[in-house]
Amino acid sequence: MKHFINNTALMIVLMGMLTLPIASLGVMRLNNESPVLSAMDERTETTNLQEQNAGSEINVPMLIKPDNTLVPVDQPSETDTTITSETSPTYNDEAPIETIESSETETSRE
Amino acid sequence: MFSRLLVKLVDRSITPALVLFCARIISVVVIARYFEIPFTIGASGFIFPNDGSYIQINSYSVFSMIIILVVGLLYISLKSVLFHETHIKPDTSAKLFSLRMSALIQSSFDLYTQGAIWLSYCYLLMFTSGLMAYFGLMYAWVFYVTIALCILASVVFILDVENEIKISKNKSPVYDDDEEYLDEPLRKKRK
């Protein structure tokens, strides 16, 4: 029993000696706050927000795109607009109707 | 009765612990002065005004601790490879005695306890710097340097232990099983 107590005491001293230089890493503070704790708090806050957002996304109305992917209606993405601009046909609204008709008749004659 | 190994480990851990602790404190002050970053010393330690200066000084300070670890591990590996009691060359041994540096010649027990302590510090620093780099409190390259040092030191340490095992196997007595020249009663006895 005495051996066990002695050796346990030695182990505790050894652990203390090993952790002393590592504990010295905590001598630096940022605006009188522990930077490690504040960084951990920030990280947990962001993960909580992400989880909340992930939960709320279920109730968001979704839009089905031509390639069967879902996009939230309130947040249209950049790719969404580019796809529509590429796929939708372009019409020349400035051109007078008569000239269009004349060109059509010319092609039908040919 | 205290364990001989534990007493030796505690004895060997005092010097590197104090050296690393002092290196951390001194390096924080020196690096802050070098980069002309203002800081105050309070009850909780060195207080820095903004994130950028904190990360910069923390990274370079940990790097200075790594340099101390490199020096310590280099000293141990040099002793274990060149001046190990079990495989030191006779001319090197004579030269060390003539230079009155025979203290460099050490037994396996001394060398391995020292090596274990310095390697423990190296691994502990690696884990801590990994955590700091993960939380963005330190540059990531400091963590990578620590990993490289840990791998290198471990490989050198393992190679020396393997060398030691090989030597101890070669030194073990070899028995001749040839019974040709044994007397008849002895031969019968062995059978």
Side-chain angles (χ1 to χ4, degrees), chain B residues 1 8 17 31 36 47 50 73 85 92 94 96 107 129 142-143 147 152 165 170 186 189:
Chain B
M1 186 70 185
K8 194 78 179 175
I31 293 161
E36 294 174 350
I47 300 157
N50 53 45
L73 284 165
E85 196 183 66
T92 319
L96 284 173
S107 64
S129 58
V142 181
F143 173 55
I147 290 177
L152 202 72
I165 292 165
N170 288 341
L186 262 172
K189 209 177 180 181

mmCIF file of all heavy atoms in Angstrom, chain B residues 1 8 17 31 36 47 50 73 85 92 94 96 107 129 142-143 147 152 165 170 186 189:
data_model
loop_
_atom_site.group_PDB
_atom_site.id
_atom_site.type_symbol
_atom_site.label_atom_id
_atom_site.label_comp_id
_atom_site.label_asym_id
_atom_site.label_seq_id
_atom_site.Cartn_x
_atom_site.Cartn_y
_atom_site.Cartn_z
ATOM 1 N N MET B 1 9.042 2.553 -0.550
ATOM 2 C CA MET B 1 10.087 2.461 -1.580
ATOM 3 C C MET B 1 9.575 3.103 -2.880
ATOM 4 O O MET B 1 8.496 2.772 -3.355
ATOM 5 C CB MET B 1 10.412 0.975 -1.821
ATOM 6 C CG MET B 1 11.551 0.713 -2.751
ATOM 7 S SD MET B 1 13.115 1.174 -2.012
ATOM 8 C CE MET B 1 14.207 0.888 -3.362
ATOM 9 N N LYS B 8 13.700 8.599 -11.686
ATOM 10 C CA LYS B 8 14.583 9.053 -12.776
ATOM 11 C C LYS B 8 13.820 9.961 -13.751
ATOM 12 O O LYS B 8 14.347 10.980 -14.197
ATOM 13 C CB LYS B 8 15.119 7.815 -13.515
ATOM 14 C CG LYS B 8 16.277 8.079 -14.423
ATOM 15 C CD LYS B 8 17.563 8.221 -13.654
ATOM 16 C CE LYS B 8 18.735 8.453 -14.541
ATOM 17 N NZ LYS B 8 19.950 8.713 -13.755
ATOM 18 N N ALA B 17 11.436 21.082 -18.475
ATOM 19 C CA ALA B 17 10.210 21.816 -18.133
ATOM 20 C C ALA B 17 10.526 23.278 -17.842
ATOM 21 O O ALA B 17 9.849 24.182 -18.360
ATOM 22 C CB ALA B 17 9.534 21.173 -16.931
ATOM 23 N N ILE B 31 9.603 38.850 -28.665
ATOM 24 C CA ILE B 31 8.923 38.961 -29.971
ATOM 25 C C ILE B 31 7.995 40.188 -29.998
ATOM 26 O O ILE B 31 7.918 40.897 -31.009
ATOM 27 C CB ILE B 31 8.164 37.654 -30.304
ATOM 28 C CG1 ILE B 31 9.168 36.523 -30.524
ATOM 29 C CG2 ILE B 31 7.304 37.798 -31.549
ATOM 30 C CD1 ILE B 31 8.592 35.149 -30.412
ATOM 31 N N GLU B 36 7.237 45.465 -32.107
ATOM 32 C CA GLU B 36 6.727 46.723 -31.527
ATOM 33 C C GLU B 36 5.214 46.655 -31.284
ATOM 34 O O GLU B 36 4.457 47.557 -31.661
ATOM 35 C CB GLU B 36 7.095 47.913 -32.413
ATOM 36 C CG GLU B 36 8.597 48.150 -32.453
ATOM 37 C CD GLU B 36 9.009 49.227 -33.441
ATOM 38 O OE1 GLU B 36 8.136 49.658 -34.221
ATOM 39 O OE2 GLU B 36 10.175 49.620 -33.438
ATOM 40 N N ILE B 47 -1.454 40.593 -21.722
ATOM 41 C CA ILE B 47 -2.732 40.956 -22.358
ATOM 42 C C ILE B 47 -2.437 41.729 -23.651
ATOM 43 O O ILE B 47 -1.740 42.749 -23.624
ATOM 44 C CB ILE B 47 -3.609 41.801 -21.409
ATOM 45 C CG1 ILE B 47 -3.901 40.991 -20.128
ATOM 46 C CG2 ILE B 47 -4.914 42.194 -22.070
ATOM 47 C CD1 ILE B 47 -4.257 41.830 -18.942
ATOM 48 N N ASN B 50 -5.280 43.157 -29.798
ATOM 49 C CA ASN B 50 -6.101 42.663 -30.928
ATOM 50 C C ASN B 50 -5.701 41.254 -31.362
ATOM 51 O O ASN B 50 -4.671 40.722 -30.939
ATOM 52 C CB ASN B 50 -6.020 43.615 -32.123
ATOM 53 C CG ASN B 50 -4.602 43.898 -32.535
ATOM 54 O OD1 ASN B 50 -3.788 42.979 -32.622
ATOM 55 N ND2 ASN B 50 -4.276 45.151 -32.754
ATOM 56 N N LEU B 73 16.321 17.500 -28.349
ATOM 57 C CA LEU B 73 16.218 16.188 -28.999
ATOM 58 C C LEU B 73 17.465 15.860 -29.804
ATOM 59 O O LEU B 73 17.889 14.704 -29.861
ATOM 60 C CB LEU B 73 14.976 16.152 -29.900
ATOM 61 C CG LEU B 73 13.646 16.003 -29.167
ATOM 62 C CD1 LEU B 73 12.481 16.336 -30.080
ATOM 63 C CD2 LEU B 73 13.472 14.598 -28.622
ATOM 64 N N GLU B 85 26.804 4.090 -24.370
ATOM 65 C CA GLU B 85 27.742 3.212 -23.647
ATOM 66 C C GLU B 85 27.906 1.850 -24.319
ATOM 67 O O GLU B 85 29.000 1.287 -24.334
ATOM 68 C CB GLU B 85 27.197 3.024 -22.227
ATOM 69 C CG GLU B 85 28.170 2.476 -21.225
ATOM 70 C CD GLU B 85 27.484 2.278 -19.884
ATOM 71 O OE1 GLU B 85 26.574 1.421 -19.803
ATOM 72 O OE2 GLU B 85 27.840 2.994 -18.960
ATOM 73 N N THR B 92 36.680 7.037 -29.976
ATOM 74 C CA THR B 92 35.808 8.148 -29.525
ATOM 75 C C THR B 92 35.788 8.206 -28.003
ATOM 76 O O THR B 92 35.863 9.295 -27.412
ATOM 77 C CB THR B 92 34.361 7.945 -30.041
ATOM 78 O OG1 THR B 92 34.402 7.490 -31.374
ATOM 79 C CG2 THR B 92 33.558 9.199 -29.949
ATOM 80 N N ALA B 94 38.140 7.142 -25.987
ATOM 81 C CA ALA B 94 39.448 7.633 -25.511
ATOM 82 C C ALA B 94 39.548 9.151 -25.666
ATOM 83 O O ALA B 94 40.046 9.852 -24.777
ATOM 84 C CB ALA B 94 40.561 6.952 -26.313
ATOM 85 N N LEU B 96 37.066 11.315 -25.716
ATOM 86 C CA LEU B 96 36.192 11.965 -24.726
ATOM 87 C C LEU B 96 36.835 11.979 -23.341
ATOM 88 O O LEU B 96 36.738 12.973 -22.616
ATOM 89 C CB LEU B 96 34.831 11.260 -24.668
ATOM 90 C CG LEU B 96 33.870 11.547 -25.818
ATOM 91 C CD1 LEU B 96 32.636 10.660 -25.735
ATOM 92 C CD2 LEU B 96 33.428 13.004 -25.811
ATOM 93 N N SER B 107 24.509 5.439 -20.098
ATOM 94 C CA SER B 107 23.894 4.110 -20.234
ATOM 95 C C SER B 107 22.526 4.229 -20.924
ATOM 96 O O SER B 107 21.978 5.335 -21.059
ATOM 97 C CB SER B 107 23.718 3.486 -18.856
ATOM 98 O OG SER B 107 22.817 4.263 -18.116
ATOM 99 N N SER B 129 -0.565 22.612 -30.043
ATOM 100 C CA SER B 129 -0.488 23.513 -31.197
ATOM 101 C C SER B 129 -1.539 23.142 -32.244
ATOM 102 O O SER B 129 -2.065 24.024 -32.937
ATOM 103 C CB SER B 129 0.913 23.495 -31.811
ATOM 104 O OG SER B 129 1.248 22.206 -32.205
ATOM 105 N N VAL B 142 3.073 26.279 -37.990
ATOM 106 C CA VAL B 142 3.763 25.934 -36.727
ATOM 107 C C VAL B 142 3.375 24.507 -36.325
ATOM 108 O O VAL B 142 4.235 23.714 -35.904
ATOM 109 C CB VAL B 142 3.404 26.941 -35.610
ATOM 110 C CG1 VAL B 142 4.128 26.616 -34.326
ATOM 111 C CG2 VAL B 142 3.713 28.351 -36.033
ATOM 112 N N PHE B 143 2.102 24.186 -36.506
ATOM 113 C CA PHE B 143 1.617 22.837 -36.198
ATOM 114 C C PHE B 143 2.280 21.799 -37.105
ATOM 115 O O PHE B 143 2.704 20.736 -36.646
ATOM 116 C CB PHE B 143 0.095 22.816 -36.345
ATOM 117 C CG PHE B 143 -0.531 21.463 -36.223
ATOM 118 C CD1 PHE B 143 -0.307 20.663 -35.102
ATOM 119 C CD2 PHE B 143 -1.356 20.980 -37.221
ATOM 120 C CE1 PHE B 143 -0.889 19.418 -34.990
ATOM 121 C CE2 PHE B 143 -1.937 19.735 -37.114
ATOM 122 C CZ PHE B 143 -1.703 18.950 -35.998
ATOM 123 N N ILE B 147 4.611 18.527 -36.103
ATOM 124 C CA ILE B 147 4.347 17.151 -36.563
ATOM 125 C C ILE B 147 5.620 16.553 -37.161
ATOM 126 O O ILE B 147 6.000 15.425 -36.847
ATOM 127 C CB ILE B 147 3.201 17.118 -37.607
ATOM 128 C CG1 ILE B 147 1.866 17.443 -36.951
ATOM 129 C CG2 ILE B 147 3.123 15.751 -38.266
ATOM 130 C CD1 ILE B 147 0.712 17.496 -37.933
ATOM 131 N N LEU B 152 10.207 12.785 -36.947
ATOM 132 C CA LEU B 152 11.663 12.624 -37.079
ATOM 133 C C LEU B 152 12.281 12.108 -35.780
ATOM 134 O O LEU B 152 13.076 11.150 -35.790
ATOM 135 C CB LEU B 152 12.273 13.973 -37.470
ATOM 136 C CG LEU B 152 13.624 13.926 -38.143
ATOM 137 C CD1 LEU B 152 13.488 13.400 -39.554
ATOM 138 C CD2 LEU B 152 14.232 15.315 -38.181
ATOM 139 N N ILE B 165 18.652 -3.373 -29.235
ATOM 140 C CA ILE B 165 18.141 -4.754 -29.122
ATOM 141 C C ILE B 165 19.050 -5.715 -29.901
ATOM 142 O O ILE B 165 19.381 -6.802 -29.432
ATOM 143 C CB ILE B 165 16.676 -4.827 -29.633
ATOM 144 C CG1 ILE B 165 15.752 -4.074 -28.685
ATOM 145 C CG2 ILE B 165 16.214 -6.261 -29.770
ATOM 146 C CD1 ILE B 165 14.381 -3.778 -29.251
ATOM 147 N N ASN B 170 23.326 -9.942 -29.888
ATOM 148 C CA ASN B 170 24.657 -10.403 -30.303
ATOM 149 C C ASN B 170 25.543 -10.729 -29.106
ATOM 150 O O ASN B 170 26.423 -11.566 -29.199
ATOM 151 C CB ASN B 170 25.337 -9.328 -31.163
ATOM 152 C CG ASN B 170 24.710 -9.214 -32.528
ATOM 153 O OD1 ASN B 170 24.021 -10.122 -32.980
ATOM 154 N ND2 ASN B 170 24.914 -8.089 -33.192
ATOM 155 N N LEU B 186 29.007 -38.183 -19.696
ATOM 156 C CA LEU B 186 28.380 -36.847 -19.856
ATOM 157 C C LEU B 186 27.351 -36.849 -20.994
ATOM 158 O O LEU B 186 26.275 -36.263 -20.905
ATOM 159 C CB LEU B 186 29.440 -35.797 -20.157
ATOM 160 C CG LEU B 186 29.942 -34.965 -18.989
ATOM 161 C CD1 LEU B 186 31.117 -34.111 -19.406
ATOM 162 C CD2 LEU B 186 28.831 -34.087 -18.439
ATOM 163 N N LYS B 189 24.345 -38.519 -19.935
ATOM 164 C CA LYS B 189 23.629 -37.640 -19.006
ATOM 165 C C LYS B 189 22.805 -36.586 -19.752
ATOM 166 O O LYS B 189 21.665 -36.288 -19.391
ATOM 167 C CB LYS B 189 24.655 -36.934 -18.113
ATOM 168 C CG LYS B 189 24.135 -36.582 -16.745
ATOM 169 C CD LYS B 189 25.252 -35.960 -15.945
ATOM 170 C CE LYS B 189 24.782 -35.588 -14.549
ATOM 171 N NZ LYS B 189 25.860 -34.965 -13.784
#
